[in-house]
Amino acid sequence: MVRELDVADRMGDDLGIRILLLHFQQVLHAAYPTITDPRLTGLGRFALRTVSAWRYAAEFYAFPIELRIVNKIFPYHRPEISGF
């Protein structure tokens, strides 16, 4: 299994860490979606939590392709960035 930090070391520190943080952020936001997003339904929250549960539990954050697919179906908007 490829460790996250190994990927960061191979890609160069700055770019690798940014990608690592982006992937971690995607998994974290899917595992704990905000309740303040009125456009995200209960089904969408359930889908995000279910798909991201194994990644979060295993601490495997690299390349969350399935989360991107679920985000296309149930768009997740962060109100703290996009506004209400």
PDB file of all heavy atoms in Angstrom, residues 36-60:
ATOM      1  N   THR A  36     -25.448  22.858   7.589  1.00  0.00           N
ATOM      2  CA  THR A  36     -25.928  24.168   7.162  1.00  0.00           C
ATOM      3  C   THR A  36     -26.134  24.287   5.660  1.00  0.00           C
ATOM      4  O   THR A  36     -26.572  25.334   5.198  1.00  0.00           O
ATOM      5  CB  THR A  36     -24.957  25.273   7.619  1.00  0.00           C
ATOM      6  OG1 THR A  36     -23.672  25.010   7.062  1.00  0.00           O
ATOM      7  CG2 THR A  36     -24.869  25.328   9.126  1.00  0.00           C
ATOM      8  N   ASP A  37     -25.824  23.248   4.902  1.00  0.00           N
ATOM      9  CA  ASP A  37     -26.046  23.284   3.458  1.00  0.00           C
ATOM     10  C   ASP A  37     -27.476  22.829   3.173  1.00  0.00           C
ATOM     11  O   ASP A  37     -27.778  21.640   3.234  1.00  0.00           O
ATOM     12  CB  ASP A  37     -25.050  22.376   2.733  1.00  0.00           C
ATOM     13  CG  ASP A  37     -25.170  22.459   1.228  1.00  0.00           C
ATOM     14  OD1 ASP A  37     -25.947  23.294   0.735  1.00  0.00           O
ATOM     15  OD2 ASP A  37     -24.475  21.687   0.546  1.00  0.00           O
ATOM     16  N   PRO A  38     -28.384  23.754   2.863  1.00  0.00           N
ATOM     17  CA  PRO A  38     -29.789  23.380   2.661  1.00  0.00           C
ATOM     18  C   PRO A  38     -30.020  22.583   1.381  1.00  0.00           C
ATOM     19  O   PRO A  38     -31.032  21.905   1.249  1.00  0.00           O
ATOM     20  CB  PRO A  38     -30.516  24.718   2.610  1.00  0.00           C
ATOM     21  CG  PRO A  38     -29.489  25.695   2.178  1.00  0.00           C
ATOM     22  CD  PRO A  38     -28.174  25.186   2.710  1.00  0.00           C
ATOM     23  N   ARG A  39     -29.098  22.646   0.434  1.00  0.00           N
ATOM     24  CA  ARG A  39     -29.274  21.940  -0.841  1.00  0.00           C
ATOM     25  C   ARG A  39     -28.917  20.460  -0.749  1.00  0.00           C
ATOM     26  O   ARG A  39     -29.297  19.681  -1.605  1.00  0.00           O
ATOM     27  CB  ARG A  39     -28.431  22.613  -1.915  1.00  0.00           C
ATOM     28  CG  ARG A  39     -28.931  24.016  -2.243  1.00  0.00           C
ATOM     29  CD  ARG A  39     -27.977  24.711  -3.142  1.00  0.00           C
ATOM     30  NE  ARG A  39     -26.886  25.216  -2.290  1.00  0.00           N
ATOM     31  CZ  ARG A  39     -26.006  26.106  -2.660  1.00  0.00           C
ATOM     32  NH1 ARG A  39     -26.036  26.568  -3.878  1.00  0.00           N
ATOM     33  NH2 ARG A  39     -25.079  26.523  -1.834  1.00  0.00           N
ATOM     34  N   LEU A  40     -28.192  20.080   0.294  1.00  0.00           N
ATOM     35  CA  LEU A  40     -27.800  18.687   0.461  1.00  0.00           C
ATOM     36  C   LEU A  40     -28.885  17.964   1.255  1.00  0.00           C
ATOM     37  O   LEU A  40     -29.150  18.284   2.406  1.00  0.00           O
ATOM     38  CB  LEU A  40     -26.459  18.603   1.185  1.00  0.00           C
ATOM     39  CG  LEU A  40     -25.793  17.235   1.253  1.00  0.00           C
ATOM     40  CD1 LEU A  40     -25.492  16.727  -0.147  1.00  0.00           C
ATOM     41  CD2 LEU A  40     -24.519  17.319   2.049  1.00  0.00           C
ATOM     42  N   THR A  41     -29.507  16.991   0.634  1.00  0.00           N
ATOM     43  CA  THR A  41     -30.614  16.266   1.267  1.00  0.00           C
ATOM     44  C   THR A  41     -30.087  15.195   2.222  1.00  0.00           C
ATOM     45  O   THR A  41     -28.883  14.926   2.264  1.00  0.00           O
ATOM     46  CB  THR A  41     -31.484  15.596   0.193  1.00  0.00           C
ATOM     47  OG1 THR A  41     -30.692  14.626  -0.498  1.00  0.00           O
ATOM     48  CG2 THR A  41     -32.039  16.608  -0.778  1.00  0.00           C
ATOM     49  N   GLY A  42     -30.985  14.578   2.942  1.00  0.00           N
ATOM     50  CA  GLY A  42     -30.605  13.483   3.836  1.00  0.00           C
ATOM     51  C   GLY A  42     -29.997  12.317   3.081  1.00  0.00           C
ATOM     52  O   GLY A  42     -29.045  11.688   3.542  1.00  0.00           O
ATOM     53  N   LEU A  43     -30.542  12.033   1.900  1.00  0.00           N
ATOM     54  CA  LEU A  43     -29.997  10.966   1.063  1.00  0.00           C
ATOM     55  C   LEU A  43     -28.574  11.305   0.613  1.00  0.00           C
ATOM     56  O   LEU A  43     -27.695  10.440   0.592  1.00  0.00           O
ATOM     57  CB  LEU A  43     -30.893  10.728  -0.149  1.00  0.00           C
ATOM     58  CG  LEU A  43     -30.442   9.653  -1.130  1.00  0.00           C
ATOM     59  CD1 LEU A  43     -30.420   8.294  -0.453  1.00  0.00           C
ATOM     60  CD2 LEU A  43     -31.339   9.639  -2.341  1.00  0.00           C
ATOM     61  N   GLY A  44     -28.339  12.554   0.270  1.00  0.00           N
ATOM     62  CA  GLY A  44     -27.003  12.981  -0.137  1.00  0.00           C
ATOM     63  C   GLY A  44     -25.996  12.865   0.991  1.00  0.00           C
ATOM     64  O   GLY A  44     -24.868  12.400   0.790  1.00  0.00           O
ATOM     65  N   ARG A  45     -26.405  13.276   2.196  1.00  0.00           N
ATOM     66  CA  ARG A  45     -25.522  13.138   3.358  1.00  0.00           C
ATOM     67  C   ARG A  45     -25.213  11.669   3.635  1.00  0.00           C
ATOM     68  O   ARG A  45     -24.076  11.309   3.927  1.00  0.00           O
ATOM     69  CB  ARG A  45     -26.168  13.771   4.590  1.00  0.00           C
ATOM     70  CG  ARG A  45     -26.049  15.243   4.638  1.00  0.00           C
ATOM     71  CD  ARG A  45     -26.522  15.804   5.976  1.00  0.00           C
ATOM     72  NE  ARG A  45     -26.508  17.243   5.889  1.00  0.00           N
ATOM     73  CZ  ARG A  45     -27.478  17.982   5.372  1.00  0.00           C
ATOM     74  NH1 ARG A  45     -28.566  17.404   4.919  1.00  0.00           N
ATOM     75  NH2 ARG A  45     -27.371  19.294   5.307  1.00  0.00           N
ATOM     76  N   PHE A  46     -26.242  10.829   3.552  1.00  0.00           N
ATOM     77  CA  PHE A  46     -26.055   9.395   3.778  1.00  0.00           C
ATOM     78  C   PHE A  46     -25.091   8.810   2.746  1.00  0.00           C
ATOM     79  O   PHE A  46     -24.197   8.027   3.083  1.00  0.00           O
ATOM     80  CB  PHE A  46     -27.402   8.668   3.732  1.00  0.00           C
ATOM     81  CG  PHE A  46     -27.284   7.187   3.887  1.00  0.00           C
ATOM     82  CD1 PHE A  46     -27.033   6.625   5.134  1.00  0.00           C
ATOM     83  CD2 PHE A  46     -27.400   6.349   2.789  1.00  0.00           C
ATOM     84  CE1 PHE A  46     -26.912   5.256   5.281  1.00  0.00           C
ATOM     85  CE2 PHE A  46     -27.286   4.980   2.929  1.00  0.00           C
ATOM     86  CZ  PHE A  46     -27.039   4.431   4.176  1.00  0.00           C
ATOM     87  N   ALA A  47     -25.250   9.194   1.483  1.00  0.00           N
ATOM     88  CA  ALA A  47     -24.376   8.682   0.417  1.00  0.00           C
ATOM     89  C   ALA A  47     -22.933   9.124   0.648  1.00  0.00           C
ATOM     90  O   ALA A  47     -22.002   8.316   0.524  1.00  0.00           O
ATOM     91  CB  ALA A  47     -24.873   9.149  -0.939  1.00  0.00           C
ATOM     92  N   LEU A  48     -22.729  10.390   0.987  1.00  0.00           N
ATOM     93  CA  LEU A  48     -21.373  10.885   1.234  1.00  0.00           C
ATOM     94  C   LEU A  48     -20.724  10.161   2.408  1.00  0.00           C
ATOM     95  O   LEU A  48     -19.568   9.744   2.338  1.00  0.00           O
ATOM     96  CB  LEU A  48     -21.399  12.395   1.499  1.00  0.00           C
ATOM     97  CG  LEU A  48     -21.608  13.286   0.293  1.00  0.00           C
ATOM     98  CD1 LEU A  48     -21.844  14.722   0.733  1.00  0.00           C
ATOM     99  CD2 LEU A  48     -20.414  13.217  -0.630  1.00  0.00           C
ATOM    100  N   ARG A  49     -21.460  10.014   3.504  1.00  0.00           N
ATOM    101  CA  ARG A  49     -20.913   9.338   4.684  1.00  0.00           C
ATOM    102  C   ARG A  49     -20.594   7.878   4.399  1.00  0.00           C
ATOM    103  O   ARG A  49     -19.569   7.356   4.830  1.00  0.00           O
ATOM    104  CB  ARG A  49     -21.899   9.426   5.843  1.00  0.00           C
ATOM    105  CG  ARG A  49     -21.952  10.760   6.485  1.00  0.00           C
ATOM    106  CD  ARG A  49     -22.824  10.711   7.724  1.00  0.00           C
ATOM    107  NE  ARG A  49     -23.247  12.044   8.060  1.00  0.00           N
ATOM    108  CZ  ARG A  49     -24.459  12.373   8.456  1.00  0.00           C
ATOM    109  NH1 ARG A  49     -25.383  11.450   8.583  1.00  0.00           N
ATOM    110  NH2 ARG A  49     -24.761  13.617   8.737  1.00  0.00           N
ATOM    111  N   THR A  50     -21.495   7.218   3.682  1.00  0.00           N
ATOM    112  CA  THR A  50     -21.309   5.797   3.401  1.00  0.00           C
ATOM    113  C   THR A  50     -20.096   5.549   2.520  1.00  0.00           C
ATOM    114  O   THR A  50     -19.285   4.658   2.786  1.00  0.00           O
ATOM    115  CB  THR A  50     -22.573   5.227   2.728  1.00  0.00           C
ATOM    116  OG1 THR A  50     -23.694   5.468   3.575  1.00  0.00           O
ATOM    117  CG2 THR A  50     -22.439   3.745   2.473  1.00  0.00           C
ATOM    118  N   VAL A  51     -19.951   6.340   1.479  1.00  0.00           N
ATOM    119  CA  VAL A  51     -18.841   6.144   0.539  1.00  0.00           C
ATOM    120  C   VAL A  51     -17.503   6.497   1.181  1.00  0.00           C
ATOM    121  O   VAL A  51     -16.490   5.853   0.917  1.00  0.00           O
ATOM    122  CB  VAL A  51     -19.086   6.965  -0.744  1.00  0.00           C
ATOM    123  CG1 VAL A  51     -17.882   6.958  -1.641  1.00  0.00           C
ATOM    124  CG2 VAL A  51     -20.294   6.440  -1.480  1.00  0.00           C
ATOM    125  N   SER A  52     -17.483   7.487   2.052  1.00  0.00           N
ATOM    126  CA  SER A  52     -16.219   7.921   2.653  1.00  0.00           C
ATOM    127  C   SER A  52     -15.873   7.188   3.945  1.00  0.00           C
ATOM    128  O   SER A  52     -14.764   7.355   4.454  1.00  0.00           O
ATOM    129  CB  SER A  52     -16.273   9.417   2.931  1.00  0.00           C
ATOM    130  OG  SER A  52     -17.232   9.686   3.939  1.00  0.00           O
ATOM    131  N   ALA A  53     -16.775   6.383   4.483  1.00  0.00           N
ATOM    132  CA  ALA A  53     -16.564   5.758   5.795  1.00  0.00           C
ATOM    133  C   ALA A  53     -15.313   4.881   5.827  1.00  0.00           C
ATOM    134  O   ALA A  53     -14.516   4.958   6.763  1.00  0.00           O
ATOM    135  CB  ALA A  53     -17.788   4.945   6.187  1.00  0.00           C
ATOM    136  N   TRP A  54     -15.114   4.051   4.815  1.00  0.00           N
ATOM    137  CA  TRP A  54     -13.957   3.155   4.843  1.00  0.00           C
ATOM    138  C   TRP A  54     -12.649   3.920   4.712  1.00  0.00           C
ATOM    139  O   TRP A  54     -11.650   3.567   5.339  1.00  0.00           O
ATOM    140  CB  TRP A  54     -14.069   2.085   3.753  1.00  0.00           C
ATOM    141  CG  TRP A  54     -13.806   2.579   2.367  1.00  0.00           C
ATOM    142  CD1 TRP A  54     -14.706   3.084   1.492  1.00  0.00           C
ATOM    143  CD2 TRP A  54     -12.534   2.617   1.706  1.00  0.00           C
ATOM    144  NE1 TRP A  54     -14.084   3.444   0.325  1.00  0.00           N
ATOM    145  CE2 TRP A  54     -12.750   3.161   0.428  1.00  0.00           C
ATOM    146  CE3 TRP A  54     -11.249   2.248   2.080  1.00  0.00           C
ATOM    147  CZ2 TRP A  54     -11.714   3.347  -0.485  1.00  0.00           C
ATOM    148  CZ3 TRP A  54     -10.217   2.427   1.159  1.00  0.00           C
ATOM    149  CH2 TRP A  54     -10.453   2.971  -0.100  1.00  0.00           C
ATOM    150  N   ARG A  55     -12.651   4.983   3.907  1.00  0.00           N
ATOM    151  CA  ARG A  55     -11.424   5.778   3.746  1.00  0.00           C
ATOM    152  C   ARG A  55     -11.042   6.465   5.054  1.00  0.00           C
ATOM    153  O   ARG A  55      -9.885   6.487   5.438  1.00  0.00           O
ATOM    154  CB  ARG A  55     -11.595   6.835   2.664  1.00  0.00           C
ATOM    155  CG  ARG A  55     -11.544   6.288   1.275  1.00  0.00           C
ATOM    156  CD  ARG A  55     -11.592   7.438   0.287  1.00  0.00           C
ATOM    157  NE  ARG A  55     -11.338   6.968  -1.041  1.00  0.00           N
ATOM    158  CZ  ARG A  55     -10.121   6.808  -1.567  1.00  0.00           C
ATOM    159  NH1 ARG A  55      -9.074   7.096  -0.874  1.00  0.00           N
ATOM    160  NH2 ARG A  55      -9.984   6.354  -2.791  1.00  0.00           N
ATOM    161  N   TYR A  56     -12.044   7.036   5.711  1.00  0.00           N
ATOM    162  CA  TYR A  56     -11.772   7.747   6.952  1.00  0.00           C
ATOM    163  C   TYR A  56     -11.332   6.782   8.047  1.00  0.00           C
ATOM    164  O   TYR A  56     -10.403   7.071   8.793  1.00  0.00           O
ATOM    165  CB  TYR A  56     -13.007   8.544   7.386  1.00  0.00           C
ATOM    166  CG  TYR A  56     -12.713   9.541   8.476  1.00  0.00           C
ATOM    167  CD1 TYR A  56     -12.067  10.735   8.191  1.00  0.00           C
ATOM    168  CD2 TYR A  56     -13.078   9.277   9.785  1.00  0.00           C
ATOM    169  CE1 TYR A  56     -11.788  11.638   9.192  1.00  0.00           C
ATOM    170  CE2 TYR A  56     -12.807  10.185  10.791  1.00  0.00           C
ATOM    171  CZ  TYR A  56     -12.161  11.360  10.489  1.00  0.00           C
ATOM    172  OH  TYR A  56     -11.885  12.257  11.484  1.00  0.00           O
ATOM    173  N   ALA A  57     -11.985   5.627   8.139  1.00  0.00           N
ATOM    174  CA  ALA A  57     -11.638   4.644   9.164  1.00  0.00           C
ATOM    175  C   ALA A  57     -10.248   4.053   8.927  1.00  0.00           C
ATOM    176  O   ALA A  57      -9.496   3.814   9.877  1.00  0.00           O
ATOM    177  CB  ALA A  57     -12.678   3.537   9.201  1.00  0.00           C
ATOM    178  N   ALA A  58      -9.896   3.826   7.669  1.00  0.00           N
ATOM    179  CA  ALA A  58      -8.594   3.235   7.341  1.00  0.00           C
ATOM    180  C   ALA A  58      -7.493   4.279   7.210  1.00  0.00           C
ATOM    181  O   ALA A  58      -6.334   3.922   6.996  1.00  0.00           O
ATOM    182  CB  ALA A  58      -8.699   2.453   6.043  1.00  0.00           C
ATOM    183  N   GLU A  59      -7.854   5.547   7.308  1.00  0.00           N
ATOM    184  CA  GLU A  59      -6.916   6.661   7.120  1.00  0.00           C
ATOM    185  C   GLU A  59      -6.228   6.582   5.756  1.00  0.00           C
ATOM    186  O   GLU A  59      -5.040   6.822   5.618  1.00  0.00           O
ATOM    187  CB  GLU A  59      -5.884   6.702   8.251  1.00  0.00           C
ATOM    188  CG  GLU A  59      -6.494   6.968   9.599  1.00  0.00           C
ATOM    189  CD  GLU A  59      -5.482   7.022  10.718  1.00  0.00           C
ATOM    190  OE1 GLU A  59      -4.260   6.869  10.446  1.00  0.00           O
ATOM    191  OE2 GLU A  59      -5.889   7.216  11.865  1.00  0.00           O
ATOM    192  N   PHE A  60      -7.000   6.221   4.749  1.00  0.00           N
ATOM    193  CA  PHE A  60      -6.514   6.144   3.370  1.00  0.00           C
ATOM    194  C   PHE A  60      -7.185   7.258   2.585  1.00  0.00           C
ATOM    195  O   PHE A  60      -8.355   7.180   2.238  1.00  0.00           O
ATOM    196  CB  PHE A  60      -6.844   4.778   2.760  1.00  0.00           C
ATOM    197  CG  PHE A  60      -6.330   4.619   1.366  1.00  0.00           C
ATOM    198  CD1 PHE A  60      -4.972   4.486   1.129  1.00  0.00           C
ATOM    199  CD2 PHE A  60      -7.193   4.613   0.288  1.00  0.00           C
ATOM    200  CE1 PHE A  60      -4.490   4.347  -0.159  1.00  0.00           C
ATOM    201  CE2 PHE A  60      -6.724   4.477  -0.998  1.00  0.00           C
ATOM    202  CZ  PHE A  60      -5.367   4.343  -1.216  1.00  0.00           C
TER     203      PHE A  60
END
